[in-house]
Amino acid sequence: MYVYNGKLAYYNYAKDECITIVFPAGFALEDPVCAYWQWTEDAKGNKKANECQLGTISSVAKTEGVYKFVLSFSYYYFEGSVSADLNAVTVMMREPRGFSSSIQTTLQAQLSDVCCVPSTEVFTGKLNFLDYAVDEMITLVIPNGIADGEPVGMYWEWTKDGQGRPKQNHCVNSTFRGVVTTGGETKGTFDDGYYTYQAVILSDDQHATLHMRNPVDDRVLDVNMEHTDFRQAHAKKALIIRYGTGTDNGIFLVREMLTKHLGFDTDDVEMLYFNDEPKGKPAVRSDGQAAPTASNFKAKFTRLIVGARGTGDVRFVYVDTHGTIYPNPDGSGEPDGIDEGWTMAEDDDGTRKEIVYDNWLAQAINTNLKVGVNLTILTSSCMGGGMLDTQTATAGVLLAGCHETQFNVKSLRTKDGMVDPWMYAIVSVIKNQVKRKRGVPTYVALFDDAKKYIKAQLDAGAIGEKYKGPSPNELEPIARGQVSNTSHQDPQLVFYDGYFDPDAERFLFPFVGPRAGNAEGESARFPKDQYPHGGEL
């Protein structure tokens, strides 16, 4: 995560205006980037209009020791480079008609963190403070959440500073203290050595209030701010469903992973679940959410993938339901004549069940998903490894908690209660990347690290006896024991090798491969196809 601040000159539209550029994840291809500045007067004649540009790094190159990039936004783009010590970026603003800023501008580093997980949040608003700041854009940058000791940055331009100098940038780089959470609101205090500030993130996570205290007269100025960062590009969207597997908080842990560390906006994560599923009685919904019915899932899944625009978009689905198998008498399914499905509710009270079959899933994907979209499906279901159709070229990546001949069990004892080991392993790997100041892992690294996490929990005795863990030889998964009601669990990573390179593409990031996102090539299944074996070269 890197934040840079400087001055922007762009014809008469931006005359010596404060600009802040935020790189939430770093400088890699397809990483998100946000630029914030204020127009002196925009093309419609509006004075001091805030401008928030949300985009990605669309091109990178290293020539003669200089790391160059192109930052692409909805209309404007910036060509630039970053210094070898990362202390400055130099950019030139351009637009499609060929116009560009008359000079390059150099922005200085304000905040930096070697952690490349996109956890950064940005809020913007307008600052009015006597004659010193008149309708000036203010940008609040929170790299890693509001917590004691965590960094915070805030940037604006004085209309005229205390010494009478016009258009002076003011950069606050500090840390939070006195953090409290009450009524869904999180408050944190910081200062710049003169002014004291309190940032309040409201319960909807879309708005914030900044309290600015003047030490001279103890006056408090309130600034209303809106969430305006890469999440509002709405390139990443998700659907989460839980039915029939208990009411643990696993689905909420997944949502937190998406919104806190992987760049999903809260409004772009839709959830279908029951709050309570009493045996023999109608299920209960108390959060205003839709029921986890098969019809709801089909409609919302279809809408989710139809809305993906193509390369650059990411779609994620987490399914926490029972899995099932069924014979396919017409011979159109798997070689063994058995197909798989997810068990969901048939009605809104959850008393009847309905199956969503893998054939339906494949048809929906092949009919509606545009080329280039990253579609990733995570499932905790029994027999989950068979839910991505490998008989026809189907786009998507499947991360399943077990092979299609095995069942899964929520048997990991944690501070969050008894949860699914596979889901919890995925979430824990991402959290550990943040803690260890690393980036988002590739799919292979995530797959391998999640399996290692599960093994460590097994060795520590934290997983119940019905969950037997990996087979002695994970290349030959041992089927579930019908009599003993126990099962091994061999996680599966399933995809078409023409769809993406799991060693290169990062988890829930836009694809960077030139042909990634095409449902072509040969079906691949890890761990079976992960390494050469049996005499293969």
Side-chain angles (χ1 to χ4, degrees):
M1 184 285 308
Y2 300 91
V3 179
Y4 297 87
N5 181 267
K7 287 291 191 178
L8 175 66
Y10 191 73
Y11 299 99
N12 291 325
Y13 300 114
K15 298 179 179 179
D16 199 32
E17 297 290 352
C18 176
I19 181 173
T20 302
I21 299 181
V22 180
F23 297 86
F27 297 97
L29 186 64
E30 294 296 337
D31 274 0
V33 61
C34 311
Y36 305 90
W37 70 88
Q38 174 179 275
W39 295 115
T40 305
E41 183 175 339
D42 68 15
K44 296 180 179 180
N46 300 310
K47 298 181 184 298
K48 292 195 171 184
N50 284 5
E51 186 68 26
C52 306
Q53 290 282 319
L54 316 174
T56 61
I57 301 176
S58 60
S59 174
V60 295
K62 188 173 184 179
T63 57
E64 299 180 353
V66 178
Y67 191 86
K68 299 180 179 180
F69 53 72
V70 175
L71 313 180
S72 294
F73 301 105
S74 58
Y75 182 73
Y76 298 99
Y77 65 97
F78 289 79
E79 294 178 346
S81 61
V82 59
S83 63
D85 58 7
L86 304 180
N87 284 333
V89 295
T90 300
V91 296
M92 178 172 283
M93 180 175 168
R94 299 185 183 275
E95 60 171 287
R97 294 179 296 173
F99 298 114
S100 65
S101 52
S102 57
I103 58 173
Q104 288 186 327
T105 182
T106 298
L107 287 69
Q108 301 299 321
Q110 302 298 322
L111 290 176
S112 64
D113 190 336
V114 293
C115 180
C116 293
V117 171
S119 303
T120 304
E121 293 185 277
V122 182
F123 295 83
T124 58
K126 282 293 192 180
L127 177 64
N128 286 282
F129 182 62
L130 302 177
D131 293 332
Y132 300 112
V134 180
D135 201 30
E136 300 290 355
M137 182 178 192
I138 183 170
T139 304
L140 173 66
V141 182
I142 304 174
N144 200 26
I146 296 184
D148 288 331
E150 290 294 340
V152 56
M154 194 160 63
Y155 313 98
W156 73 86
E157 177 182 274
W158 291 118
T159 308
K160 180 178 63 176
D161 69 9
Q163 300 178 38
R165 298 175 301 179
K167 302 182 79 69
Q168 295 296 305
N169 285 9
H170 187 75
C171 301
V172 179
N173 300 302
S174 185
T175 56
F176 283 113
R177 65 178 185 271
V179 174
V180 295
T181 299
T182 55
E185 297 182 351
T186 302
K187 305 176 182 180
T189 301
F190 60 100
D191 65 74
D192 60 6
Y194 186 78
Y195 297 102
T196 300
Y197 313 92
Q198 184 185 61
V200 182
I201 308 302
L202 305 186
S203 58
D204 64 0
D205 197 41
Q206 300 300 313
H207 299 86
T209 300
L210 177 73
H211 304 299
M212 177 177 174
R213 184 178 296 277
N214 186 345
V216 175
D217 55 11
D218 216 29
R219 178 186 303 178
V220 176
L221 174 69
D222 295 335
V223 180
N224 295 321
M225 311 187 81
E226 292 187 356
H227 201 173
T228 18
D229 57 43
F230 57 100
R231 295 169 181 83
Q232 278 67 56
H234 304 295
K236 296 183 174 184
K237 296 187 177 183
L239 176 62
I240 296 174
I241 184 168
R242 181 188 68 198
Y243 174 68
T245 60
T247 55
D248 62 279
N249 69 340
I251 56 174
F252 302 104
L253 295 176
V254 173
R255 181 177 65 180
E256 180 184 57
M257 172 187 72
L258 298 177
T259 58
K260 188 173 181 180
H261 300 307
L262 294 174
F264 288 72
D265 187 71
T266 303
D267 290 342
D268 291 330
V269 181
E270 192 161 13
M271 302 182 73
L272 307 174
Y273 63 95
F274 290 122
N275 296 84
D276 191 19
E277 299 180 32
K279 189 174 181 180
K281 298 180 181 180
V284 178
R285 287 177 289 132
S286 54
D287 297 332
Q289 77 279 17
T293 64
S295 58
N296 280 342
F297 175 81
K298 288 180 177 181
K300 293 179 183 297
F301 177 79
T302 301
R303 186 175 65 185
L304 180 77
I305 59 177
V306 166
R309 295 160 291 192
T311 302
D313 278 6
V314 176
R315 296 295 183 264
F316 174 74
V317 179
Y318 173 51
V319 178
D320 180 7
T321 71
H322 289 298
T324 187
I325 56 176
Y326 65 99
N328 194 321
D330 62 8
S332 62
E334 305 292 333
D336 59 2
I338 300 296
D339 280 350
E340 290 76 33
W342 286 317
T343 302
M344 299 180 187
E346 181 182 334
D347 48 21
D348 283 358
D349 63 12
T351 56
R352 296 189 301 273
K353 300 175 182 178
E354 183 177 344
I355 308 301
V356 173
Y357 298 112
D358 58 350
N359 290 342
W360 178 89
L361 188 70
Q363 183 179 12
I365 293 171
N366 292 331
T367 302
N368 297 297
L369 190 69
K370 296 179 181 67
V371 171
V373 178
N374 176 351
L375 171 63
T376 298
I377 301 172
L378 172 67
T379 181
S380 303
S381 301
C382 302
M383 288 75 78
M387 281 304 297
L388 189 68
D389 188 2
T390 56
Q391 305 312 302
T392 58
T394 302
V397 184
L398 176 66
L399 283 161
C402 63
H403 190 265
E404 56 265 37
T405 61
Q406 301 170 335
F407 68 67
N408 199 17
V409 186
K410 290 188 175 182
S411 55
L412 175 60
R413 294 181 289 272
T414 72
K415 61 181 178 62
D416 297 298
M418 197 74 79
V419 298
D420 167 52
W422 180 238
M423 172 281 301
Y424 204 80
I426 296 291
V427 170
S428 296
V429 170
I430 298 300
K431 284 184 176 180
N432 286 338
Q433 292 294 102
V434 176
K435 185 177 180 180
R436 294 154 63 188
K437 302 293 185 182
R438 297 185 179 180
V440 175
T442 65
Y443 279 80
V444 166
L446 176 67
F447 183 66
D448 289 342
D449 287 349
K451 292 193 296 180
K452 291 175 184 176
Y453 179 90
I454 290 175
K455 185 178 185 306
Q457 300 306 307
L458 285 165
D459 292 343
I463 299 181
E465 60 182 15
K466 285 190 176 182
Y467 189 99
K468 299 180 69 174
S471 302
N473 179 2
E474 64 176 358
L475 303 182
E476 299 177 358
I478 297 175
R480 60 195 177 280
Q482 299 283 16
V483 176
S484 63
N485 196 29
T486 60
S487 180
H488 287 279
Q489 290 80 23
D490 294 295
Q492 305 289 300
L493 173 60
V494 184
F495 58 96
Y496 268 80
D497 59 14
Y499 183 68
F500 87 138
D501 180 355
D503 283 298
E505 304 291 355
R506 290 171 291 173
F507 181 54
L508 298 184
F509 262 62
F511 288 147
V512 299
R515 288 191 56 79
N518 286 275
E520 59 187 19
E522 299 294 328
S523 172
R525 176 187 287 268
F526 287 11
K528 183 177 180 294
D529 301 321
Q530 191 168 1
Y531 305 106
H533 55 85
E536 297 177 15
L537 297 178

